[in-house]
Amino acid sequence: MNNLILFEIGGYPIYASAAVITLGLLLCAVMTLLLYREDHRSMAAPLCLAVLGFVLGLLFSRLLHWYFNAETYSSLLDALTNYDHGSFCLPGMLLGIWLAAWICRKLNLTATMGELLDAAAPGVALLIAFIRLSALFNTTCRSRIIVRTKWLQFLPFASGLRDTAGNVTYRMATFFIAFLLMLAVTVMVLRFFHEKGRRRMKRGCPRTGNTARLFVLLYAAVEIVMDSTRYDSPLMHFRMISVLNQYSAFISLAQVFAGFTVLGILIHFTRCSVRCNGFRWYHVGVWLGFFVCLFVIGKLGEYNVQRYAAYLQCYAFMSAGCIALVLLVWALYRSCVSPRELY
């Protein structure tokens, strides 16, 4: 996975990609501390989240990659102790952060998980941006799309890969496009945290956690499209229940995770909206729109791009479906906000 070595410490190589990710981790922790401190004196919760989130996120992201790519490692112990080879799955990192926030809540370090995750959301978005940028120094997270147009063969559009014979192939720079998109997500989530994250909600709707939900929603939209373009996307190859592989071996783990998180957020805001507004016609409309978006993303986008390789058309459909999903969930969220906060 790693290529460029910056320097060595005691014979142990320090890779450029690892240095970039480490910088992202530090910025994420500092940003979380600063945002949490705006409303709280105690720093115990964000510090605990930083430590536990790192440990659990690394553990889960590595475990997921080992499970679906066991041939890369000699054993599970090798996957958990030797980071000179192999890779990781970002869904595991997000699961680790969520579990770390849950532990912090159980330890009474924070009043709610939502307020802690809200403070962490912009920093985690920035961390994911740096994780994507780290691929600049290795050969991961490139697209299967070959860029042959000369004036597009540079960043952010394409990245050259040299084979053993010295030939250079320019592939769409998925990692750099994702980096730029996640920087935009960081700005949007940070702005939401300061301007709308503390909005008064209607009775029966939690006031905290909405910044974190917006982050996950936007990340999922980016990941669904970007992960589809990758030639090294982590696919779901089951080991103990291998009979499922005939249905799942071509499906991206990141896309499935993103889809389920969007579904969970949609269910949350639907319940909140029905609780505070009563059942309305637009609830049916939102769910019908959700299934239409799934068809557009899954059939017109992902299925057709794998079958026909009509990249421009399929990714246009997929992007439009993801944008529509975000707008549908946003509409439900606004139906839960107190009218005095909207006008």
Side-chain angles (χ1 to χ4, degrees), residues 11 43-44 71 90 110 118 128 131 173 175 225 232 240 289 310 315 335 339:
M43 292 293 99
E71 68 282 354
L90 274 182
T110 182
D118 283 346
I128 293 175
I131 289 174
F175 72 94
V225 180
D232 60 343
M240 298 179 184
Y315 287 129
S335 73

Side-chain angles (χ1 to χ4, degrees), residues 230-283:
R230 293 177 60 174
Y231 70 73
D232 60 343
S233 176
L235 303 178
M236 298 178 64
H237 296 280
F238 291 96
R239 301 176 63 194
M240 298 179 184
I241 42 178
S242 57
V243 67
L244 295 177
N245 288 338
Q246 58 183 317
Y247 309 107
S248 66
F250 61 93
I251 299 175
S252 163
L253 170 65
Q255 288 180 312
V256 171
F257 179 82
F260 275 105
T261 54
V262 171
L263 177 61
I265 294 170
L266 182 62
I267 292 173
H268 168 80
F269 282 123
T270 300
R271 291 178 60 189
C272 291
S273 183
V274 171
R275 186 183 300 125
C276 64
N277 299 310
F279 186 76
R280 296 287 189 268
W281 62 269
Y282 56 79
H283 294 130

Side-chain angles (χ1 to χ4, degrees), residues 72-106:
T72 307
Y73 311 96
S74 60
S75 64
L76 173 58
L77 182 62
D78 178 51
L80 297 179
T81 58
N82 185 359
Y83 296 96
D84 287 338
H85 63 280
S87 188
F88 51 86
C89 295
L90 274 182
M93 184 192 77
L94 296 179
L95 289 173
I97 293 172
W98 181 89
L99 180 57
W102 180 82
I103 294 173
C104 290
R105 175 67 189 93
K106 291 300 180 181

Side-chain angles (χ1 to χ4, degrees), residues 133-260:
L133 181 62
S134 70
L136 178 65
F137 303 104
N138 54 52
T139 58
T140 64
C141 205
R142 266 66 172 180
S143 175
R144 56 175 174 244
I145 301 173
I146 306 295
V147 178
R148 294 186 171 86
T149 306
K150 292 290 185 181
W151 55 274
L152 290 178
Q153 292 178 343
F154 57 87
L155 294 177
F157 306 106
S159 175
L161 293 178
R162 189 180 301 274
D163 60 22
T164 54
N167 302 312
V168 178
T169 301
Y170 287 90
R171 295 181 177 272
M172 190 181 86
T174 297
F175 72 94
F176 205 84
I177 297 172
F179 162 68
L180 295 177
L181 290 174
M182 288 309 301
L183 283 184
V185 169
T186 302
V187 173
M188 287 187 283
V189 173
L190 185 60
R191 182 177 177 181
F192 181 89
F193 176 85
H194 284 300
E195 297 181 3
K196 301 179 177 65
R198 299 171 179 84
R199 274 176 164 178
R200 182 182 294 109
M201 306 295 286
K202 294 179 180 177
R203 181 174 297 179
C205 302
R207 191 170 182 174
T208 62
N210 294 321
T211 303
R213 293 183 187 97
L214 174 66
F215 152 65
V216 173
L217 179 65
L218 293 175
Y219 162 73
V222 170
E223 191 72 355
I224 285 171
V225 180
M226 288 292 97
D227 192 78
S228 174
T229 69
R230 293 177 60 174
Y231 70 73
D232 60 343
S233 176
L235 303 178
M236 298 178 64
H237 296 280
F238 291 96
R239 301 176 63 194
M240 298 179 184
I241 42 178
S242 57
V243 67
L244 295 177
N245 288 338
Q246 58 183 317
Y247 309 107
S248 66
F250 61 93
I251 299 175
S252 163
L253 170 65
Q255 288 180 312
V256 171
F257 179 82
F260 275 105

